[in-house]
Amino acid sequence: MTEGCLHRCLDLGDRGPLSAARLGSTRHNFAIVAEFEGGYADALWEARIPGLDVGETGAVTFTPDTAGTYFYVCTVAAHRFQGMAGEFVVEG
């Protein structure tokens, strides 16, 4: 992780984790995408967690190869607009 970064940050080439837990009654999928509106099929670095059912958790590790700002989002319907999303920066 980059020191002094104001966002969630990784250095180019660092391995990053993505983990999620299903807490509600609706199924959730998660992916790392370049655009906030990106979908499950748009996942970068194969960083996606398929449908989680009640009580399930999922995790994936990824290694970014391009600097920039990226998003982790729930790709189900409008979940990302309900707060199931965030962003992070890859510096390099």
Side-chain angles (χ1 to χ4, degrees):
M1 298 291 272
T2 302
E3 283 190 45
C5 184
L6 298 176
H7 303 280
R8 293 174 178 93
C9 296
L10 291 173
D11 287 323
L12 194 62
D14 282 354
R15 291 177 53 97
L18 171 64
S19 59
R22 176 150 177 254
L23 302 175
S25 60
T26 305
R27 179 170 239 190
H28 299 287
N29 300 316
F30 289 89
I32 292 178
V33 293
E35 301 292 330
F36 186 76
E37 294 80 14
Y40 192 75
D42 301 318
L44 300 170
W45 313 300
E46 299 298 318
R48 56 175 70 94
I49 298 172
L52 297 176
D53 288 321
V54 175
E56 288 185 325
T57 61
V60 65
T61 303
F62 61 96
T63 304
D65 59 5
T66 306
T69 299
Y70 300 95
F71 303 89
Y72 48 94
V73 298
C74 178
T75 59
V76 173
H79 287 189
R80 74 189 77 209
F81 300 106
Q82 297 169 0
M84 294 179 209
E87 71 177 43
F88 66 97
V89 175
V90 175
E91 297 179 332

